[in-house]
Every structure is written in structure tokens, then in C-alpha cells.
Amino acid sequence: MIMAFKWVLVVIWIWVWAAYLAATQSVDGLVRISLKKHPLDLSRINAARITNRVAYQQSDNGDNLKANIVYLKNYLDIQFYGEIGIGSPTQTFAVVFDTGSSNLWVPSSRCILSVGCYFHSKYRATMSSTYTKIGIHCKIPYGSGSVSGYFSGDNVKVGDIIVKDQEFVEVTREGFVAFLAARFDGVFGLGFQDISVGEATPVWYNMVQQGRMSQKIFSIWLNHDPESPVGGEIVFGGYDWKHFTGDHTYVPISHKGYWQIEVGDIIVADFSTGFCKGGCAAIVDSGTSLLAGPTTVVAQINHAIGAEGLASLECKNVVYTYGNLMWDYLVSGLCEKLPNPVRRSFVNCDNLAAMPDVSFVIGNKTFTLTPEQYILKVEERCSTVCLSGFVALDVPPPQGPLWVLGALFLGAYHTVFDFGNLRVGFAKAAIL
């Protein structure tokens, strides 16, 4: 009897201690989401797309239409995702936390004509006591198609907090195959309301307005250590000192909508490319792994690191396999001239140590990426294939030239997104 009473006391003590820890975590105002990581495969990275299109909207005076460049991607190169909950009781979804878009969407139980919906968790409105019908239809474009559905309202659980009456999209049709093999169910947009489809209020806006964040900031730490089981962490309301070293360099938002900043010169092996000396726009985007930029600069970088297009690589493999003097004579120089339609550039994994560093000048400070940081390593059958993380994206003025700093950059530099002061901060990321 005495032994049983002792066990009861132990259980009560553990419960009280856990409650204390939970209270402590809520007092510091930080909401933490652990991120999972899964490896890329060659077929997905080859099919990944970053592109743009022109969208027209009324000018401020309403007299005519003005053209805006809309930046599009398809998430096939995504490695990092985390979990949220929607509804009461909570229905759990794996989502991409994407600073390059602003809507929250997940598959709907009414998604019956798209194969991809059958391989992911689906939101069931009838199972939630806090569901609110909105019913306005919408379509969200991506680099290889679109998703469409309608708006609904419900409570959203982010970490250990509840965001009430959040608008989100129940997707009823996934218009491309990208999500069929994806590990994530939907997308959690972290961009500004200016680019939100349907002008829906982003979740993190409501987190601020409902007093769920002590500071109007969130931060992202991505762990690119292949040996670590920890994918990374997104922290709402502040940042974790363990995630970075040194101080953050802050630069202002240059154009509200995306988390868009100005970058200066791009430096390859201590030599200026000269293209962005007068300034280029750059979108800080956790929703892609890639580093996209003007063809002129990307070509210089890929040439400097010895990158080859897929067609060129396969051509040389044929030469190697069937090599003789006549064949070698016929195709000499031809392999380098073959087009690379999917814009993927391969490098020799054994040459990483000899490749140059690539640096971005941001806020008068140089942010350097080593070959280990800008090269994507992809498992293909029983071997490892290495690809350049740099891809071409040509955006005309006045919106361009434009860079996209994806997860390869965020993996090297811990990033703070400061909504209160409209700025972005970078510090060297810690490896845990």
C-alpha cells in the first residue's frame, strides 16, 4: 500500500513538472515546430521547376492595369517539412513552411478526382466542431500546374498554441503529379498578405493579432548535416540562440509581398561577376532548395565549378562506354554544345574540394557558400549524384533581375524574418 502511494506521488510530481515546463515555454512566447528532412531523388530534382509569369492588376489610381511578375515553383525539390493540426479534435497534416507563398492549404475529403489526394491526409469538415463554412472557390498556380478548391475556416494548431478561426483552402483538385510522391500534405504560407490568393489572412498574421507571439518575428534553422536525425526548426515569436553563431546582419524588405531584399555583387572564387553590383532583388524562400538567378551569372558559376547539363553528361557516358578514336573524333566538342532542357547541371562529386566558394554581398557584408553548401547530393540507385544548386531564372525589369535564395542558403545562414521592423536577418547557422 505504501509502495503504491509512493508511485502515485511520483506520477503527480512528473505531471506537475511537465505542466511547469509547458508554462515556462508559453511564458517565453516561443512556438517551436520541429522540421523533418527526407533525401532528394534524381527524378524529383530533375522535375523541379522555378519560373515566373506576368499577372495584371488594377493600378493604385484604378485607371489602368499594371503588370506584376508572379514567381512560381512546384515543390519537387523540397526536403524540409513539419506538422500542424486543423480542427477540433485536431486533424494532423505535414506541411511545407513556405516563405515564398502566403496561403494555408491541405487536401479536402472532397478531393476524389485527383490521385494525389489518396496518398495524403485529408481534412474532414464534418469531424470538426469548430469548422466554419466559407465556400469561396480559388485556384493557386504553381510551376507545373495548380491546385484548386475552396476556402473554409477552422482552428489551427501550431506547436502548442491554437489559432482561432483561420481561413485556409480545402483543395479538391491537385492539377499536377508533384504531390503524388510528396512526403507533405499541404503548404503553410509565411509570406505577406499582399500575395495571398483570395486576400486570405496568413496564419502567422493571426498568431500576431491574437497575441500568440511575444515578438512579431519568426526564425528558421535548417540542418543540412546528412548524419543528423534533426531536420531543423522554425520558431515563432523569436529565435533560439543555439541555432546560430555571431550576430545577425539585418537588411530591409525592399518590396512587400515576398520576403524580398536587395543583394549586391555575386563573387566567384574572389572574382566579381559584376552583374549585380548596382543591386538585384532577391526573394528569401524556404519553399525551394535551389538558388535561382539570372542566366548570365548562373552560367558563370556553373562554368567555374565544372557543371554539365544532363544531355552533355549522358553524351560523354556514351563516348566513355564505346570510346574509340573515330567516335571520339566525331563527337569531340559536341557534348558541351548539347542543350540542357531541364536546366540541371551535374558536377563530379570527387571535385568538391577544388571548387570555388560563391559569395553574395548583402547589406555590405559577404555571405559565402562553400561547395558543400551549394551542391545538392542526390541518391540514385546505389550511388550518389552531385548537382549544382544554381539554376537560371530570368525576370525582366523593373521587377528583375531577381535571385531566389532557397534552403541551400538558409541551411548555411540562420534567418530571422522580422515583421515588426520589415527586415530579414542572417547569421552563420550552427551545426547541432
Side-chain angles (χ1 to χ4, degrees):
M1 186 68 179
I2 295 176
M3 193 65 179
F5 179 71
K6 287 182 178 180
W7 276 111
V8 170
L9 288 178
V10 169
V11 170
I12 293 174
W13 182 85
I14 292 174
W15 179 83
V16 171
W17 179 246
Y20 168 76
L21 288 178
T24 303
Q25 290 171 348
S26 62
V27 166
D28 69 11
L30 300 184
V31 179
R32 302 169 184 270
I33 304 288
S34 296
L35 300 179
K36 300 176 183 178
K37 176 178 61 177
H38 71 98
L40 292 170
D41 61 69
L42 192 57
S43 61
R44 286 176 54 232
I45 194 65
N46 266 339
R49 292 288 183 272
I50 293 183
T51 184
N52 62 84
R53 66 175 173 84
V54 178
Y56 294 93
Q57 67 181 71
Q58 288 291 129
S59 61
D60 294 335
N61 59 20
D63 292 337
N64 48 38
L65 295 175
K66 62 179 180 180
N68 283 327
I69 297 295
V70 180
Y71 154 63
L72 302 172
K73 60 200 172 186
N74 66 4
Y75 297 105
L76 277 173
D77 57 317
I78 281 296
Q79 293 180 275
F80 301 92
Y81 58 94
E83 291 186 348
I84 63 166
I86 302 178
S88 307
T90 299
Q91 302 172 43
T92 303
F93 299 92
V95 294
V96 176
F97 288 92
D98 178 20
T99 58
S101 67
S102 299
N103 292 87
L104 169 62
W105 68 260
V106 294
S108 171
S109 60
R110 296 186 178 182
C111 183
I112 57 177
L113 297 179
S114 297
V115 177
C117 288
Y118 290 93
F119 292 85
H120 296 95
S121 299
K122 294 191 283 188
Y123 172 76
R124 290 170 170 77
T126 56
M127 295 179 62
S128 175
S129 62
T130 47
Y131 162 75
T132 302
K133 181 179 179 180
I134 298 176
I136 299 174
H137 288 267
C138 68
K139 184 177 183 179
I140 303 176
Y142 289 112
S144 302
S146 62
V147 297
S148 57
Y150 54 88
F151 283 101
S152 293
D154 210 332
N155 292 348
V156 174
K157 185 177 182 182
V158 183
D160 58 353
I161 69 166
I162 301 295
V163 182
K164 295 183 178 180
D165 303 318
Q166 174 63 47
E167 292 175 272
F168 67 99
V169 178
E170 287 192 57
V171 167
T172 55
R173 184 178 292 273
E174 295 178 351
F176 57 107
V177 189
F179 297 105
L180 185 62
R183 298 287 184 93
F184 59 90
D185 304 309
V187 174
F188 187 113
L190 291 167
F192 292 91
Q193 190 170 5
D194 308 57
I195 60 169
S196 177
V197 173
E199 299 182 351
T201 304
V203 180
W204 66 279
Y205 272 47
N206 280 331
M207 292 172 70
V208 171
Q209 292 167 6
Q210 296 177 19
R212 312 305 286 173
M213 291 165 58
S214 59
Q215 299 183 71
K216 296 179 181 180
I217 66 174
F218 61 90
S219 58
I220 295 178
W221 169 70
L222 301 180
N223 186 9
H224 281 282
D225 180 2
E227 305 300 324
S228 174
V230 180
E233 190 171 60
I234 178 168
V235 179
F236 292 97
Y239 45 77
D240 190 325
W241 293 92
K242 297 193 301 293
H243 291 162
F244 62 92
T245 60
D247 296 323
H248 287 86
T249 297
Y250 286 94
V251 289
I253 299 296
S254 60
H255 181 74
K256 197 175 174 184
Y258 298 107
W259 289 94
Q260 183 172 315
I261 60 174
E262 288 288 326
V263 299
D265 199 9
I266 315 300
I267 301 168
V268 182
D270 298 325
F271 293 98
S272 166
T273 62
F275 191 85
C276 290
K277 274 190 173 180
C280 286
I283 294 172
V284 185
D285 186 1
S286 61
T288 180
S289 291
L290 303 171
L291 299 160
T295 298
T296 302
V297 185
V298 169
Q300 288 184 51
I301 295 172
N302 283 337
H303 177 74
I305 66 178
E308 301 177 289
L310 179 61
S312 173
L313 187 69
E314 291 179 342
C315 172
K316 289 188 175 180
N317 284 338
V318 170
V319 175
Y320 178 81
T321 304
Y322 301 102
N324 54 58
L325 291 178
M326 181 62 73
W327 187 237
D328 186 57
Y329 174 78
L330 287 173
V331 300
S332 178
L334 175 64
C335 295
E336 284 75 11
K337 298 178 182 178
L338 290 176
N340 184 25
V342 293
R343 297 184 176 182
R344 295 295 166 269
S345 297
F346 293 75
V347 297
N348 188 332
C349 294
D350 296 330
N351 293 342
L352 260 64
M355 292 180 192
D357 293 342
V358 177
S359 302
F360 293 83
V361 177
I362 303 174
N364 295 319
K365 185 173 181 179
T366 300
F367 292 83
T368 298
L369 297 177
T370 65
E372 289 76 13
Q373 292 169 328
Y374 65 70
I375 294 296
L376 286 166
K377 293 184 177 180
V378 179
E379 299 301 321
E380 178 66 9
R381 298 190 181 96
C382 297
S383 62
T384 300
V385 177
C386 291
L387 300 93
S388 168
F390 291 93
V391 297
L393 175 68
D394 292 308
V395 177
Q399 286 86 359
L402 176 71
W403 278 92
V404 175
L405 304 180
L408 288 174
F409 189 87
L410 272 63
Y413 295 98
H414 176 267
T415 308
V416 174
F417 299 84
D418 187 342
F419 178 52
N421 296 297
L422 294 179
R423 61 180 186 169
V424 179
F426 302 103
K428 188 175 180 180
I431 298 177
L432 301 181

